[in-house]
Amino acid sequence: DAGVTQSPTHLIKTRGQQVTLRCSPKSGHDTVSWYQQALGQGPQFIFQYYEEEERQRGNFPDRFSGHQFPNYSSELNVNALLLGDSALYLCASSLGLAGGWEQFFGPGTRLTVL
Amino acid sequence: DAKTTQPTSMDCAEGRAANLPCNHSTISGNEYVYWYRQIHSQGPQYIIHGLKNNETNEMASLIITEDRKSSTLILPHATLRDTAVYYCIVRSSHNTDKLIFGTGTRLQVFP
């Protein structure tokens, strides 16, 4: 049973560019949450998707957007990249309204903005 | 903002019990205490959670004080592989609620 997978593993972009990160949830999970983790800090919640809709959002600008597909996989898009967007981006999956108190995290995508 | 306070770092000898404290003095009656850990270069991993009773699983034990204002995560026999950052999180009872991480406790297990 595959856990949460993310791609790519590492990514290097320059300021002003756009980036798309991908996440496949754990088998049977229908809810995907995205977190940003800056170096030396704990993960910060970006947003959560359930039934292909954004259900919750953290304190992140509109440059951060997402999408969830019918197969529950998800994408995180960041436009107009800033140096401060350099971080580890984590995807977590869980069961939504059906229950499940545990969020399973993927290994993350390391984004470097130059 | 995180609703918990944890020491920045702790050391523990291999084979000994590691006791990681957490203060959550503003916890509400319907909020749970969760513990996650993050081993270097990996995503966070769920350890245990509880409401008011002590809990134990194959990884750890969670002791919550009677007034629920603090808790302790206990790793009974720490190994080198337990070296990680441990996060104590207060979370509502709604199972879709987001996790709010603080900066955690960096536990170093030494031989």
Side-chain angles (χ1 to χ4, degrees):
Chain A
D1 176 27
V4 179
T5 60
Q6 294 186 242
S7 63
T9 305
H10 295 85
L11 203 53
I12 299 175
K13 293 286 188 178
T14 57
R15 281 178 297 175
Q17 285 189 311
Q18 178 266 342
V19 68
T20 298
L21 311 181
R22 296 176 176 82
C23 171
S24 292
K26 181 178 170 63
S27 178
H29 284 184
D30 58 6
T31 301
V32 173
S33 301
W34 286 91
Y35 293 79
Q36 179 196 65
Q37 186 173 24
L39 201 60
Q41 302 296 315
Q44 301 297 306
F45 176 75
I46 303 175
F47 44 52
Q48 181 186 83
Y49 277 83
Y50 171 72
E51 291 186 335
E52 303 181 47
E53 290 189 11
E54 183 183 293
R55 299 289 178 167
Q56 298 180 64
R57 189 179 183 91
N59 188 26
F60 279 81
D62 293 344
R63 298 187 297 108
F64 290 78
S65 64
H67 188 78
Q68 186 178 36
F69 298 94
N71 67 353
Y72 307 122
S73 67
S74 177
E75 289 182 348
L76 165 65
N77 301 291
V78 186
N79 294 321
L81 284 167
L82 304 173
L83 296 179
D85 295 332
S86 294
L88 179 68
Y89 288 84
L90 295 160
C91 168
S93 75
S94 57
L95 281 172
L97 299 181
W101 29 259
E102 182 178 350
Q103 290 194 12
F104 291 80
F105 283 81
T109 294
R110 173 73 62 186
L111 172 65
T112 301
V113 182
L114 302 177
Chain B
D1 291 340
K3 299 175 68 172
T4 62
T5 305
Q6 300 177 251
T8 302
S9 63
M10 297 182 64
D11 290 338
C12 179
E14 189 176 21
R16 303 297 294 268
N19 296 282
L20 290 86
C22 179
N23 287 322
H24 31 80
S25 58
T26 61
I27 192 169
S28 301
N30 66 343
E31 290 181 320
Y32 287 73
V33 179
Y34 280 73
W35 284 83
Y36 277 75
R37 74 179 182 183
Q38 187 172 22
I39 296 171
H40 184 61
S41 300
Q42 297 182 21
Q45 175 192 23
Y46 166 83
I47 302 173
I48 199 168
H49 76 287
L51 182 62
K52 54 183 178 181
N53 296 321
N54 297 338
E55 302 287 344
T56 296
N57 63 21
E58 65 278 4
M59 290 183 66
S61 294
L62 173 61
I63 309 298
I64 303 174
T65 59
E66 191 169 345
D67 63 8
R68 302 207 325 121
K69 293 184 177 182
S70 65
S71 60
T72 300
L73 178 74
I74 301 173
L75 307 178
H77 305 287
T79 71
L80 298 179
R81 287 174 294 184
D82 292 322
T83 292
V85 178
Y86 287 78
Y87 296 99
C88 171
I89 299 167
V90 167
R91 186 190 191 197
S92 79
S93 58
H94 198 289
N95 57 30
T96 62
D97 195 21
K98 58 186 178 291
L99 296 169
I100 301 176
F101 291 82
T103 53
T105 295
R106 183 171 299 278
L107 176 68
Q108 179 69 53
V109 181
F110 56 91

